[in-house]
Amino acid sequence: MNLSHAQELRDEIVSYLNNGLLPFWISRTVDTQYGGFLTHFDEFGNDSGEDEKSLIAQSRSVFTYSSAHRAGYGGGKLAEMARHGVDFMLNKMWDAEYGGFYWMMNRKGEVVIDEKIVYGHSFAIYSLSEYTLATGDPRGREYAEKVFDLLQKYAVDTHFGGYWEMFHRNWDLKGAGSAGGDRKTLDAHMHLMEAFTTLYECTGEQVHRRKLLEAIELLTKKIMHPKYGTGIPQFWADWTVAPQIKFDIVWGWDRFSEDGQKASAEDNTSYGHNSEFAWLLMHALDILKLPYDLYEQQIQKSFSHSVDNGIDWEFGGVFVEGSHAGEVYDREKEFWQQAEMLIGMLDAYRYLKDEKYWNAYVNVHRFVFDKMINHKLGEWWPLMTRQGEPIWRHMSHSWKINYHDVRAMIQSVVRLDKLLKS
C-alpha cells in the first residue's frame, strides 16, 4: 500500500460524500407532507411516484442519516432527517395492538401490507439503535429493545435454533413455499448479527451480548459453507440446505426465473455477501471486545473466496455470484456488492496483511468512481454490464436505497484512516 495513494483515495471519498452522495439525499428525500421519506427516484433523480413507504427503505434511511451524523457529516441536518424518519416509523408504522412494524405503508402512512417480516425488523433494531447512538434520543433504544423482545418471544426456533422469518400481523407463522414460513436465510440471520451488534453497542445489556454471540455461532457453524466458508442462501428448519426460491413480498424478485427458483438453486453464493459477512463479523468482535483470531479461519475463507473468484481484474469491480467451489455464474455488476466489497477488502488488508486485498480494494474503488457513480446526480447506478454500462437506470427504490453506498463511503474512510495511521 502506497500511503500517498491511500490518502488520495480517502480524499476522493470525502469530497464525493460531501458534494455528491449526501446532497443527493438531503435535497429530495424528506416528505414534508406526510412524514417519512420518499425513496423512489428515476434516472434523472426525479420522484418516480410509487405510492409506498416500506419498512426496509424507511429504516435503512434512518440508519444512513444517523450513522452519517455520528461520523461527523451533514452539519446537524442529517440528525434532523433521522428524527423525521423515526417519527414516521413510530407514529405510523408501529402496530400498537400486536407490536412490531408493518411491512408496507402507502405515502400517507396507511397500512398496505400488515405482515411482520424479521428481515425488516432486523433493520428496525439496527437503525433505531444507531439513531440513539447518534442523537441521544432515547426513543430509538426503547423501540429497538421492544423489537428485540418481540423476536425472542415469537420468532426464535427453540428446537433447531435461529429465527423463523415470515409472520402474519399477529405473529402467527406464515405458510410454506413462497410464503417463506418454512425457511431460514443467511440474509436475515446476517442482518440480525449486524442489528444485535449495534443494539449491544447502544445498551450494553448482557442479554443483547448473549444473543449476538449466539447469532455469530449459528452463522459460522450452520450457515456458512463448512468447506469454503461461503454463505449458503436458504435452509429448511433443521439447517439442511434448501433450494433458493423467491419469496412473495421480500427480496430477490429481480434475479429469479419465471418459476420462482434460482438457477443453480442449491449451489450459489454471493461475493458481496461473503465480504459483508466477514467485515460485519469483525465489527461485532470489535464491539464485543473479542479478538479476530477467534474466527480467523472463517474470516480468511470468506474474504479470500470473494477476491479469488469475485474480483474482475479485466474490467474492474466484483461479480454478482457463483458456486461455492469458485465458478462464476453472473458477471454483471450490482451496486451493493461493490459497496460491501470496499469495506471488506480494507478490513481484510488491515487484518490479514495480504497485498491482494489492497489491490482488490483499489480495483473496486476505481470501478465505483469511474463507472458506477452517476456523477451528474451523485447516486450509483443499480446494475451494470460487466464492462460498466448501466442496465437498470433508476437511482432508488425500496431495495436500492442509500444504506449500502453511504455506509461504504463512511466506513471506507474510517478504515483508510486506520491504515494511514498504522
Side-chain angles (χ1 to χ4, degrees):
M1 184 189 78
N2 178 283
L3 287 176
S4 63
H5 185 211
Q7 185 68 48
E8 289 172 7
L9 297 176
R10 181 218 183 264
D11 293 345
E12 184 176 28
I13 295 171
V14 172
S15 176
Y16 165 58
L17 263 173
N18 287 322
N19 301 306
L21 185 54
L22 290 174
F24 177 90
W25 294 101
I26 289 169
S27 65
R28 52 174 50 82
T29 192
V30 173
D31 185 345
T32 56
Q33 183 175 9
Y34 296 116
F37 302 112
L38 305 177
T39 55
H40 292 67
F41 301 103
D42 65 19
E43 67 176 295
F44 306 108
N46 299 318
D47 176 6
S48 51
E50 279 85 350
D51 187 21
E52 69 170 54
K53 287 176 178 165
S54 67
L55 175 58
I56 196 69
Q58 299 300 312
S59 61
R60 283 179 166 183
S61 295
V62 167
F63 172 81
T64 295
Y65 308 135
S66 299
S67 63
H69 174 72
R70 182 151 74 120
Y73 298 93
K77 177 63 177 174
L78 293 165
E80 295 173 18
M81 291 172 65
R83 184 172 291 105
H84 176 85
V86 169
D87 289 344
F88 183 81
M89 285 180 65
L90 302 189
N91 296 333
K92 297 292 187 179
M93 304 191 81
W94 181 258
D95 183 348
E97 183 176 359
Y98 292 106
F101 291 99
Y102 299 117
W103 178 250
M104 186 74 69
M105 322 295 288
N106 63 20
R107 288 196 178 200
K108 292 181 179 179
E110 298 163 336
V111 180
V112 176
I113 298 175
D114 65 7
E115 294 174 2
K116 306 294 167 61
I117 309 301
V118 165
Y119 185 90
H121 283 81
S122 73
F123 280 96
I125 294 171
Y126 189 43
S127 63
L128 292 167
S129 301
E130 182 70 24
Y131 171 69
T132 291
L133 286 164
T135 67
D137 185 338
R139 294 181 302 160
R141 172 177 174 168
E142 176 190 351
Y143 278 84
E145 290 188 282
K146 284 183 178 182
V147 173
F148 173 88
D149 291 345
L150 285 165
L151 295 187
Q152 307 317 309
K153 181 177 181 180
Y154 293 116
V156 169
D157 180 352
T158 55
H159 185 57
F160 291 112
Y163 294 81
W164 301 109
E165 302 181 20
M166 307 290 196
F167 296 88
H168 297 289
R169 181 191 172 192
N170 65 353
W171 292 97
D172 284 348
L173 190 63
K174 292 179 67 179
S178 62
D182 61 344
R183 291 178 186 244
K184 297 167 182 172
T185 66
L186 161 67
D187 233 351
H189 287 79
M190 182 179 73
H191 289 302
L192 285 171
M193 176 182 73
E194 168 188 61
F196 294 169
T197 299
T198 306
L199 179 63
Y200 176 57
E201 182 183 6
C202 180
T203 70
E205 294 288 344
Q206 282 300 304
V207 66
H208 301 147
R209 180 185 180 91
R210 292 199 305 272
K211 284 295 180 178
L212 172 56
L213 289 165
E214 182 182 286
I216 290 170
E217 282 296 290
L218 185 69
L219 282 154
T220 55
K221 298 289 174 28
K222 299 285 190 183
I223 295 178
M224 306 307 285
H225 195 286
K227 178 178 179 181
Y228 298 108
T230 46
I232 300 170
Q234 289 182 20
F235 298 84
W236 300 114
D238 64 357
W239 297 107
T240 54
V241 177
Q244 190 180 6
I245 63 168
K246 169 186 172 183
F247 297 129
D248 290 336
I249 64 166
V250 196
W251 57 94
W253 55 268
D254 50 2
R255 292 209 166 273
F256 291 84
S257 60
E258 290 184 6
D259 66 2
Q261 183 161 302
K262 204 173 187 74
S264 305
E266 294 188 52
D267 181 21
N268 68 89
T269 192
S270 161
Y271 308 112
H273 261 159
N274 293 330
S275 181
E276 182 179 16
F277 167 75
W279 83 253
L280 285 172
L281 174 56
M282 289 175 66
H283 177 59
L285 294 169
D286 284 339
I287 298 302
L288 290 163
K289 294 183 169 54
L290 294 173
Y292 302 148
D293 289 353
L294 285 174
Y295 295 95
E296 179 181 10
Q297 188 175 45
Q298 174 64 67
I299 292 168
Q300 191 275 330
K301 284 182 176 181
S302 295
F303 280 141
S304 67
H305 187 278
S306 296
V307 168
D308 296 343
N309 303 293
I311 292 291
D312 186 346
W313 296 107
E314 183 177 357
F315 294 103
V318 59
F319 300 127
V320 170
E321 66 183 17
S323 74
H324 295 286
E327 179 189 356
V328 180
Y329 296 153
D330 188 338
R331 296 179 186 273
E332 292 172 345
K333 311 289 170 62
E334 198 165 8
F335 75 101
W336 69 265
Q337 284 99 337
Q338 317 306 312
E340 299 308 326
M341 197 63 113
L342 290 172
I343 308 172
M345 293 303 93
L346 289 173
D347 265 350
Y349 180 65
R350 187 169 61 89
Y351 174 42
L352 300 170
K353 313 298 185 189
D354 189 326
E355 203 70 20
K356 73 177 181 180
Y357 296 117
W358 174 253
N359 294 334
Y361 171 77
V362 174
N363 172 299
V364 179
H365 178 111
R366 283 271 52 89
F367 182 83
V368 166
F369 275 83
D370 296 343
K371 299 285 188 179
M372 186 143 266
I373 295 171
N374 177 357
H375 285 285
K376 290 182 180 178
L377 292 175
E379 245 299 323
W380 297 20
W381 297 110
L383 183 70
M384 312 193 85
T385 65
R386 180 184 180 188
Q387 292 78 11
E389 293 296 323
I391 298 172
W392 299 340
R393 303 187 68 88
H394 56 269
M395 288 292 96
S396 177
H397 60 51
S398 280
W399 292 101
K400 196 272 178 184
I401 194 67
N402 42 45
Y403 152 74
H404 285 288
D405 54 4
V406 175
R407 184 174 72 170
M409 297 294 93
I410 291 170
Q411 293 303 320
S412 291
V413 171
V414 170
R415 284 152 180 78
L416 286 166
D417 282 344
K418 289 180 180 179
L419 289 169
L420 287 164
K421 291 172 183 174
S422 63

